[in-house]
Every structure is written in structure tokens, then in C-alpha cells.
Amino acid sequence: MPNFLPINTILVPRGAEYKAVCRGLSGITASIPTVLAIPVGMKPLLKYLQQGQFLAPSRVLIMGICGSLSDRYTVGDLVLYQNCIYQGKQQECDRTFTAQLHSYISEKSLLVKSLTSDRVIWSASEKRHLGKTLAADVVDMEGFTALEFFNSAGMSVAMLRVVSDDCQHNIPDLTPAINSDGSLNPFPLAIAMLRQPFAATRLIRGSLTALKVLEQVTNRLFSGNRLE
């Protein structure tokens, strides 16, 4: 049952996440969606979406990795968003689309509430604080913007991500490495990693685990093999 929903478009942050999704789709002969690499961050993403041409009615699946804000979610967990919050505002994912995905993926995916941030949340203590005070489970840098844009355009959106870092350990502060256009600047990125080598090693290990899960779930979604 390939492309069972059907899904018209997949949006995934450029770089390693985009490559993982493309690897998951490689070799699939059935109909697959258009995969678009989006910039990292809220402002660059909004600019990108406003320049694009997305035809309604469309079903858009947003994929990628995210950070955990709760002890309940650890590295490698597959999460399906119910909604995203940002500065007291909330945007809902399409309930029918999300329920279909959840049914198809079975117990492998966890339904979560997400926080969208305009910077990298790198401190474990801040993650836990945000999780408790905002009742959010995970954090990313694109979700709310994407939902606000597509919901206003009358398109159905679901978000499927994989946890790449937990809320028990710090990760390097990568905010200075993100350019204004949503791309990563290698030199500040390297400096941030070198300043916190243990945190950097943990982030790399967690990201590799999450990217492997992202590749596998993409392949199974569109090859018609249910996750068991």
C-alpha cells in the first residue's frame, strides 16, 4: 500500500535530515511524494514557504529530528505531533491525517505536544523547565511556522520526527552557527562543538541514531511495510 494516504509533499530540514529521508525513499518504485529541503529556523522557513507554490488541497508531511523536553522521550523515539506552541499561541496538526499515520505506524510512534523555538535549546535544565511550565514534550525550530502557514492555506499537515537529544544532558549551543538564511555555518559549528567536546560527542551519537530511525520509517511508510 505505497503512499497510502496519499502524501503530496514531504518537507524536511536541509542537510543530514534531508539526506536521511532521501535514502529512505531510494529504491522505492511506487509513487513517492516530492521531497523539499527547508531551511532551519522560523524566519528563514517562512520566507521559503512564501516563495513556494503549494497547491491546495495538499497533504504535507513534515519530517526531521527534535529534542526532548521530558523524561518520557529518549533518543531514537518516533514522535507524531498533535500541535505546536510558540509564545502562547497554538497551531494544530490535521487530526485525521495524524490519526491515519499513527494507525499505520502502530505503537512505534508516540503522540506529543511540541514547542517551536527561534533558537537552539541546548541546556538540559532549560529543556526540563520548558517541558514542565509549557506542558510540551519536544522542541524544534520549524513546526509552528509551518503549521501556521499551511493551516491558513487550507492544507492538511502532519509532523513525524525522531528524538535526537534527551533532556538529561546539555548539547552544544549551535545558535551562532545558524545563518540568517537557515543554513549552517561550518566554522562556528566546529567552534561550538570543540568548546563542549563531551556534549558534542553525545549530540553526534544521538543524531546518528535518530537519522537512522528517520531513514527507516521513511522507507517503511512508502514501501508499504507496516512498522511492527
Side-chain angles (χ1 to χ4, degrees), residues 119-124 126-127 169-174 196:
R119 60 185 174 85
V120 176
I121 308 298
W122 60 271
S123 158
E126 186 180 12
K127 285 185 183 184
H169 304 93
N170 294 344
I171 62 171
D173 182 6
L174 304 181
Q196 296 175 280

Side-chain angles (χ1 to χ4, degrees), residues 20-197:
V21 168
C22 289
R23 282 196 303 272
L25 292 172
S26 65
I28 293 176
T29 55
S31 170
I32 59 173
T34 301
V35 185
L36 300 176
I38 60 174
V40 173
M42 302 182 72
K43 288 181 180 177
L45 175 60
L46 181 59
K47 184 177 179 181
Y48 172 89
L49 293 175
Q50 289 172 337
Q51 292 172 344
Q53 291 183 321
F54 300 94
L55 300 176
S58 291
R59 281 189 154 187
V60 178
L61 177 61
I62 297 167
M63 304 183 77
I65 59 178
C66 62
S68 173
L69 301 177
S70 164
D71 290 334
R72 294 191 300 273
Y73 306 99
T74 58
V75 172
D77 281 350
L78 191 62
V79 294
L80 258 176
Y81 287 17
Q82 294 174 299
N83 54 48
C84 286
I85 57 171
Y86 175 70
Q87 294 186 347
K89 295 178 287 186
Q90 181 169 299
Q91 289 286 333
E92 298 284 333
C93 293
D94 185 274
R95 291 185 180 183
T96 302
F97 189 4
T98 300
Q100 288 173 327
L101 272 171
H102 191 241
S103 172
Y104 192 77
I105 298 170
S106 185
E107 292 82 29
K108 287 288 182 179
S109 65
L110 305 159
L111 291 169
V112 297
K113 297 178 180 181
S114 172
L115 166 69
T116 298
S117 173
D118 53 12
R119 60 185 174 85
V120 176
I121 308 298
W122 60 271
S123 158
S125 59
E126 186 180 12
K127 285 185 183 184
R128 293 193 296 271
H129 174 74
L130 289 170
K132 288 173 184 173
T133 56
L134 300 176
D137 303 306
V138 297
V139 60
D140 68 40
M141 296 180 69
E142 300 86 24
F144 183 90
T145 299
L147 278 179
E148 189 173 49
F149 178 85
F150 287 116
N151 284 345
S152 66
M155 299 191 201
S156 301
V157 184
M159 294 202 201
L160 182 63
R161 290 188 182 246
V162 185
V163 175
S164 62
D165 51 283
D166 61 31
C167 67
Q168 296 298 321
H169 304 93
N170 294 344
I171 62 171
D173 182 6
L174 304 181
T175 303
I178 301 173
N179 295 323
S180 59
D181 65 355
S183 62
L184 284 175
N185 191 327
F187 186 63
L189 179 64
I191 291 174
M193 296 293 229
L194 288 169
R195 280 179 177 158
Q196 296 175 280

